[in-house]
Amino acid sequence: SAVISQKPSRDICQRGTSLTIQCQVDSQVTMMFWYRQQPGQSLTLIATANQGSEATYESGFVIDKFPISRPNLTFSTLTVSNMSPEDSSIYLCSVGWAGWGYGYTFGSGTRLTVV
Amino acid sequence: SQQGEEDPQALSIQEGENATMNCSYKTSINNLQWYRQNSGRGLVHLILIRSNEREKHSGRLRVTLDTSKKSSSLLITASRAADTASYFCATVVTGNQFYFGTGTSLTVIP
């Protein structure tokens, strides 16, 4: 399975600013996913980032708030825009390996606190 | 609505005992997966069971799936202190629709 490097590992940001989270994979992967884990909650899929096309967002998540880039098969970024304290969460990128039905590898996460 | 609700929310057992966690979901699925999350670490895929399978084994792990009841269970046999973690079930409906449960926090006491 792939190895993922995600950064920053944590950040404290001011309300109204934006933070871009980077996800680097050690091999080429077709599908990359971004998740959010709010305190005490399970993981929630934000969007799927496929190279060469616009990201597909899940219900409740919009591109203006969470723009995603996927310039190549090994890299993706998620930006959390115009942040509010409600955005405080852990954000994780994930890649699918051996096809979407065979499991996923996750990054170590970015712990975001908005003050 | 969210897929995958797990119980118990927290489980504490003695080392050597078996741990059982259950997962229920609401709609038809393609497959169900179990993940482990150690504190401060990323999620680790444990096992995948497809909708046409009823039971799978992997080492000390045993997973069952009952599609008529829309439920799954994860059994960890002969638990070890290193098994202490949060365990999540994740249901895959179609394509990239991938939903995690609320998780079970397992503590194995040495």
Side-chain angles (χ1 to χ4, degrees):
Chain A
S1 58
V3 176
I4 299 174
S5 174
Q6 184 175 339
K7 59 181 181 182
S9 59
R10 59 178 64 232
D11 207 341
I12 300 174
C13 300
Q14 295 292 321
R15 182 194 301 255
T17 63
S18 298
L19 174 72
T20 295
I21 303 167
Q22 299 180 1
C23 183
Q24 180 74 52
V25 189
D26 69 344
S27 59
Q28 293 185 337
V29 292
T30 303
M31 297 182 295
M32 295 181 73
F33 307 91
W34 287 96
Y35 291 85
R36 180 174 72 187
Q37 184 179 27
Q38 294 179 309
Q41 302 295 317
S42 63
L43 288 174
T44 302
L45 178 62
I46 297 172
T48 299
N50 294 326
Q51 195 270 337
S53 62
E54 284 194 0
T56 302
Y57 289 83
E58 296 298 304
S59 176
F61 298 97
V62 295
I63 188 171
D64 290 345
K65 176 67 176 177
F66 297 101
I68 289 172
S69 76
R70 182 80 200 275
N72 56 54
L73 291 174
T74 63
F75 187 77
S76 177
T77 67
L78 170 75
T79 299
V80 186
S81 303
N82 188 25
M83 288 184 286
S84 66
E86 291 71 32
D87 294 320
S88 296
S89 186
I90 297 173
Y91 293 84
L92 299 101
C93 69
S94 170
V95 302
W97 44 270
W100 58 266
Y102 292 87
Y104 296 83
T105 300
F106 287 81
S108 55
T110 296
R111 183 180 293 273
L112 170 63
T113 302
V114 184
V115 297
Chain B
S1 58
Q2 184 180 23
Q3 292 271 17
E5 297 185 0
E6 292 158 62
D7 79 276
Q9 289 187 334
L11 179 62
S12 183
I13 59 174
Q14 294 291 327
E15 198 166 34
E17 294 180 339
N18 295 341
T20 300
M21 290 159 268
N22 302 297
C23 172
S24 61
Y25 55 93
K26 297 178 181 177
T27 65
S28 296
I29 61 172
N30 182 284
N31 66 74
L32 185 146
Q33 304 174 27
W34 285 90
Y35 287 79
R36 183 184 69 227
Q37 184 179 32
N38 291 88
S39 179
R41 302 281 297 276
L43 285 167
V44 174
H45 179 259
L46 295 176
I47 197 166
L48 179 153
I49 186 166
R50 302 186 192 285
S51 61
N52 61 353
E53 297 176 311
R54 292 296 169 259
E55 185 172 317
K56 285 190 79 169
H57 298 256
S58 177
R60 293 184 295 111
L61 305 180
R62 172 176 165 251
V63 170
T64 63
L65 179 65
D66 187 335
T67 53
S68 66
K69 295 181 180 179
K70 292 185 171 56
S71 67
S72 174
S73 67
L74 171 67
L75 169 67
I76 303 174
T77 61
S79 63
R80 306 166 182 169
D83 294 329
T84 295
S86 292
Y87 291 82
F88 294 84
C89 70
T91 51
V92 179
V93 179
T94 58
N96 301 327
Q97 290 179 288
F98 185 75
Y99 300 96
F100 279 96
T102 51
T104 294
S105 176
L106 173 65
T107 301
V108 181
I109 303 168

